[in-house]
């Protein structure tokens, strides 16, 4: 079920984008612990959701172009696979300040949805194994649950095996 968000009343750019698109989603809030070593694992535990259904949003530089990678929190991003998925040669993690400035979100709260600048996006193929997945809703302590197909459609994502255990 879609949660209604007012544009100026507490919605994040991610929830505003979902609402504007008419995409069904469920918003999950939890108490974020600033001392937590892993934002994604903290979210999975707080929500009682398997870590393979909670996806983290990472920003990488592929041959000079910022690219969003969405992978399960239970694993890691395979940079070579990411580069290959977008026809690139080399990928490295983007500078955190650049990622924040470009997406409009803070680290640990970067959502693949509603970014300040639309970046090409790759969603790990494992997402399609689930009816719904959770991604950041745009701030620490807030996750949005939606279908992988809707996530891919809204972000124009390519599905590729970019995660590794």
């Amino acid at each position: 079920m879609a949660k209604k968000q007012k544009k100026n009343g507490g919605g994040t750019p991610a929830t505003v984008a979902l609402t504007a698109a008419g995409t069904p989603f469920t918003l999950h809030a939890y108490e974020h612990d600033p001392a937590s070593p892993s934002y994604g694992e903290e979210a999975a535990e707080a929500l009682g959701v398997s870590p393979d259904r909670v996806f983290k949003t990472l920003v990488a530089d592929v041959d000079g172009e910022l690219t969003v990678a969405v992978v399960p929190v239970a694993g890691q991003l395979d940079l070579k696979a990411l580069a290959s998925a977008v026809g690139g040669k080399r990928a490295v993690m983007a500078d955190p300040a650049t990622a924040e400035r470009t997406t409009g979100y803070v680290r640990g709260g970067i959502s693949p949805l509603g970014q300040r600048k639309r970046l090409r996006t790759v969603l790990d193929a494992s997402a399609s194994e689930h009816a719904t997945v959770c991604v950041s809703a745009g701030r620490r302590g807030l996750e949005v649950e939606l279908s992988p197909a809707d996530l891919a459609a809204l972000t124009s994502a390519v599905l590729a095996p970019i995660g590794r255990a």
Side-chain angles (χ1 to χ4, degrees):
M1 285 288 165
K3 298 242 180 180
K4 296 286 180 190
Q5 296 288 329
K6 294 180 185 171
K7 233 178 191 166
N8 299 323
T12 66
T15 60
V16 169
L18 285 162
T19 301
T23 302
F25 68 96
T26 304
L27 204 54
H28 299 283
Y30 61 93
E31 193 65 37
H32 166 63
D33 176 1
S36 178
S38 169
Y39 299 114
E41 289 176 14
E42 175 193 32
E45 188 174 316
L47 301 177
V49 176
S50 173
D52 65 341
R53 279 191 49 227
V54 178
F55 283 65
K56 56 189 168 187
T57 306
L58 303 171
V59 181
D61 180 317
V62 180
D63 298 337
E65 185 177 346
L66 291 180
T67 303
V68 173
V70 186
V71 297
V73 301
Q76 296 181 321
L77 171 61
D78 181 333
L79 288 165
K80 280 187 165 196
L82 175 64
S84 178
V86 295
K89 292 180 181 167
R90 184 171 179 270
V92 297
M93 293 306 297
D95 171 68
T98 301
E100 289 180 346
R101 189 172 49 256
T102 304
T103 64
Y105 294 116
V106 297
R107 196 168 66 86
I110 294 178
S111 177
L113 302 158
Q115 294 180 355
R116 181 178 290 149
K117 179 181 180 195
R118 191 173 185 128
L119 302 174
R120 66 182 169 179
T121 301
V122 181
L123 175 60
D124 186 68
S126 69
S128 61
E129 298 169 9
H130 308 287
T132 60
V133 295
C134 296
V135 296
S136 175
R139 70 174 176 252
R140 297 172 190 152
L142 193 63
E143 293 282 308
V144 64
E145 182 178 353
L146 73 166
S147 80
D150 286 341
L151 177 59
L154 287 170
T155 58
S156 301
V158 171
L159 261 69
I162 59 168
R164 64 175 182 225

